[in-house]
Amino acid sequence: MKIISIVSYKELNQSLEYIKLSDKFADGFELRLDYLSNITLNKAKLDEINNFISKIICLYNKNIIITLRDFHQGGSYQGSLENKLKIFDNIALNNKDYNKLYFDFEYYIDDKILEKFRIDYSEINIIRSYHDFNNTPEKILAKLVCSKIKRNIFYKIVTTAKSSLDSVKLLNFLKNTKTKYPDLNVIAHCMGECGAFSRIINGIYGSKFSYGFLDSVLDSNNNINKKLYCVPIQDLFSIYRVNNLNLNTKIYALLGNPVFHSQGHIFHNQAFLKLKENAVYVKIKLNQAEIDEFFYTIKNLNFSGFSITMPLKEQIYKYTKVNDTSELIKAINTIKIIKNNNKYILESYNTDGAGAYKALCDYNNIKDFNKHFSNKNILILGAGGASKSVILEFLNRSNNINITILNRTITNAYNIESIFNNLLNKSMSNINVYSFSNFITNYFFNNNLDKYDYIINTISGDILKNNTEFKILLENISNILHENSIVMDINYYNNILDVIPKNIRALHGKLMFEYQAKFLYFFQVFLFEYLHHFLSSKITINILV
């Protein structure tokens, strides 16, 4: 698949500077002439455009797509079809021998017009494009594909993903279309946050191009990014290496919500490159109501495994075949897909606790985890899947631990206490549970309250930002810490460490993630068959997402 840099400036000199910057990452450029100021049939203006195109051809010898997008198809051109065709004719006539030149025609333009253009300029390629800014229609192919496949006709299908299920739908459509029509030239992806991953892996199923901007454009024009959620062309080229993806590429993904700020794709894809693995790792925004249909509709795609993040660690559990640890806490963070003799199995694990253990040991230079954490007071914020995994690790490895769980609702916290009854007796430890409201009101400002050696936050900052009691806790957190206490947050963005006093010893989620990334050969996607062994040993690592 080729990377196309979208050039959408009002002035040609600005376009030239942008093309220079994007040349390193792009295989071609889409010249959005509809954004040019004063685009007319004026001879001087057309000569200026043709000279510009000739210069780009001479300097770069890359694919050039000429687009004059109508305003009701998402563009800025409001002129007549007749004038558009005259502009296209003029440009094509001046560059008719350049076989890397493409002209983008909207799908509703008459077939006879396109056929005449194709015959008149036989070396030039035609893109017949369809854009839907509202949804992803069930039947797309019939709108575009002619009964006879032409050598230099490309069919571009861009729809809006209201959920990630729409992107999966389009990818299945793309795969089935290429299977049925192997010689058909197709370009397809979804717009919107839930469509971002389709821009990366569409080439696996035959999409010819993936469009994008330099990240500097996306940063400076937030409206473009919010509307399209383009993947920067630097990332398409350097992180995802979309030029190298093919039908044998294995796909791994982070599932959860939110996932937009996750940095997991950087570490995983760097590992693939270093280990020369034909694999790619993407981020997929998924909600609980979509889980069942998601796992059903991806069966014919190349997915091989998933990292699971909040809030799905407990919800996805029931769809998988779990190991002993996951069975106890009923929460997972890792899935391996097994396809064997028409069987489709989701094999799952939870390594959150093991990852926290390794990070804490490294940060404190702890050699004997069991001895160090025995007789410690530990405060856990949250009662979800990650929280249960962390508590399980402590109870398995140490004795006489005093654990306090704070949660927004007391019921989930009590559930954790009941889960670990047997382990509590075995390790001679105890768990106390409180809601944030109860803890702040009745205990927090009590001068006799025990100090905590460790505070570990497992709740997303997005969830906590509007919680009044939690804000009080953070503002006065020094009340429950001593000089050697450590506060750890397993999140690496929007976490509590950004707002607590700077003099407190803190273990950031980013440090935890980077720590895990050093173990490239233990990445879940490479050695799943050994993961169970690591889970039961002291060498266990985790990819924290």
Side-chain angles (χ1 to χ4, degrees), residues 379 381 404-407 410 432-446 449-450 452 455 469 472-473 476 479-480:
L379 176 63
L381 306 181
T404 300
I405 302 173
L406 295 189
N407 199 48
I410 195 69
N432 297 301
V433 299
Y434 302 96
S435 66
F436 280 124
S437 177
N438 185 293
F439 185 78
I440 295 296
T441 303
N442 298 314
Y443 299 95
F444 188 59
F445 294 105
N446 184 341
L449 184 68
D450 290 337
Y452 291 100
I455 296 179
E469 290 86 4
I472 295 173
L473 173 66
N476 300 276
N479 292 357
I480 55 174

Side-chain angles (χ1 to χ4, degrees), residues 253-257 259 284-295 298 305-322 326 330-337 346-350 385:
L254 169 64
L255 303 181
N257 183 17
V259 296
I284 299 177
K285 179 182 177 181
L286 196 68
N287 295 315
Q288 182 177 352
E290 300 161 354
I291 295 173
D292 191 66
E293 187 175 351
F294 176 80
F295 284 122
I298 65 166
F306 299 102
S307 301
I308 310 300
T309 191
M310 295 177 281
L312 301 181
K313 294 184 177 186
E314 294 174 289
Q315 287 85 350
I316 289 182
Y317 159 82
K318 66 180 182 180
Y319 293 88
T320 67
K321 177 184 177 182
V322 299
S326 299
K330 292 181 169 49
I332 62 172
N333 73 340
T334 303
I335 291 177
K336 174 189 177 182
I337 295 178
L346 303 174
E347 192 170 281
S348 64
Y349 308 88
N350 194 312

